[in-house]
Amino acid sequence: MLNSLGHPDTLLLVGGTSEIAASIAATMARRRPLHVVLAARPSSRRSAAANVLTGLGASVEVVDFDATDIPRALEDLRSLLARTEIDVAVVAQGRLPRQSDLENDPVLAVETCTINYTAAVAVGLLLARQMREQGHGVIVALSSLAAIRPRRANFVYGSSKAGLDAFYTGLRDQLRGSGVRVLVVRPGFVHSRMTRGLKPAPLAVTPQDVADAVVAAVPTGNGTVWVPRAARPLMLLVRTMPGPVFRRVGL
Ligand SMILES: NC(=O)c1ccc[n+]([C@@H]2O[C@H](COP(=O)([O-])OP(=O)(O)OC[C@H]3O[C@@H](n4cnc5c(N)ncnc54)[C@H](OP(=O)(O)O)[C@@H]3O)[C@@H](O)[C@H]2O)c1
């Protein structure tokens, strides 16, 4: 349950080694004692993420989660949810291969869509059912500005995030009145492991900027979180731009 200030006791990070998710967890852990569950593939990164949170005073549990093996991932998450009441869950797993590699390798494209979209649907449905039964909870889905209007330069990744965005927007409406809230977070370019080596887009932000926006929205929010906020009017413009103009601008 969230406390009177809107802070959780238990936090689940699906894609627990994500830099953005790690910043959210660290920001929350600095505020109050927190139990964090890192659902992630076993790796030294997962151990390092757990150590950082333990160092901040959080109790940390790890659960194996590979988004390309959805039946197994669901089984492990189901058993976690049967023993632990989750207050806030962040759905953060994602992959951003080069667009040219995706265009040349349909198997890579399908795997990317499985991680970014299909697994996110499976996890969202599981979390929604569990949180509806417990009567409370906040699901934070990491969408992207790329979801608003997929571009020539990244339409495979963009389409997977558009699917995730549409799914969690619908889930939010379905859960209205249940005590469960859904935040659809749309960051622009974030300086993280995912974008290392890429040229930053305008309005680029840091994982901490995303974490601050999420932590501010968790207590009462039930809508869309734009990071930075200035991206919202810009993307409304992008969404309504005629196709030829959109292609010429080359966003
Ligand atoms: N960075 C950006 O510019 C940006 C902008 C908007 C939205 N987002 C979204 O924000 C989320 C987090 O991204 P980030 O910037 O924090 O990047 P990140 O640090 O690279 O995090 C990506 C996460 O996805 C996990 N992942 C990848 N493949 C997986 C698989 N098969 N099974 C389970 N987990 C898998 C990674 O785990 P491993 O450690 O096991 O690889 C890692 O935890 C993503 O959904 C991304 O699409 C990012």
Side-chain angles (χ1 to χ4, degrees), residues 44-220:
S44 53
R45 257 200 305 275
R46 187 175 78 175
S47 310
N51 286 341
V52 168
L53 289 167
T54 307
L56 290 172
S59 62
V60 181
E61 179 181 351
V62 293
V63 169
D64 288 349
F65 174 81
D66 184 340
T68 60
D69 185 352
I70 294 176
R72 180 68 199 270
L74 286 180
E75 199 181 306
D76 288 343
L77 282 179
R78 227 178 251 122
S79 80
L80 165 77
L81 296 175
R83 62 178 188 271
T84 310
E85 195 169 282
I86 299 296
D87 298 325
V88 176
V90 180
V91 182
Q93 84 282 352
R95 204 172 160 195
L96 174 62
R98 282 208 315 243
Q99 171 71 17
S100 55
D101 292 345
L102 291 163
E103 287 176 20
N104 289 325
D105 185 349
V107 173
L108 177 65
V110 168
E111 190 179 288
T112 300
C113 293
T114 300
I115 295 166
N116 293 1
Y117 173 60
T118 313
V121 169
V123 168
L125 292 173
L126 192 67
L127 289 171
R129 170 178 288 218
Q130 180 64 28
M131 287 182 171
R132 187 187 271 282
E133 270 174 25
Q134 71 192 28
H136 69 92
V138 182
I139 302 172
V140 178
L142 291 180
S143 177
S144 168
L145 294 189
I148 305 303
R149 189 163 184 181
R151 299 174 285 129
R152 162 71 189 91
N154 77 347
F155 65 84
V156 177
Y157 173 81
S159 71
S160 69
K161 299 309 274 190
L164 173 144
D165 195 290
F167 172 81
Y168 279 92
T169 302
L171 188 66
R172 177 174 68 215
D173 292 345
Q174 195 250 349
L175 286 167
R176 233 167 249 282
S178 68
V180 184
R181 293 180 284 112
V182 178
L183 297 174
V184 177
V185 183
R186 294 177 180 160
F189 186 105
V190 184
H191 292 281
S192 73
R193 185 160 58 95
M194 181 174 273
T195 56
R196 207 149 290 145
L198 301 180
K199 186 170 162 244
L203 301 179
V205 295
T206 64
Q208 188 60 54
D209 292 327
V210 183
D212 290 340
V214 168
V215 170
V218 158
T220 56

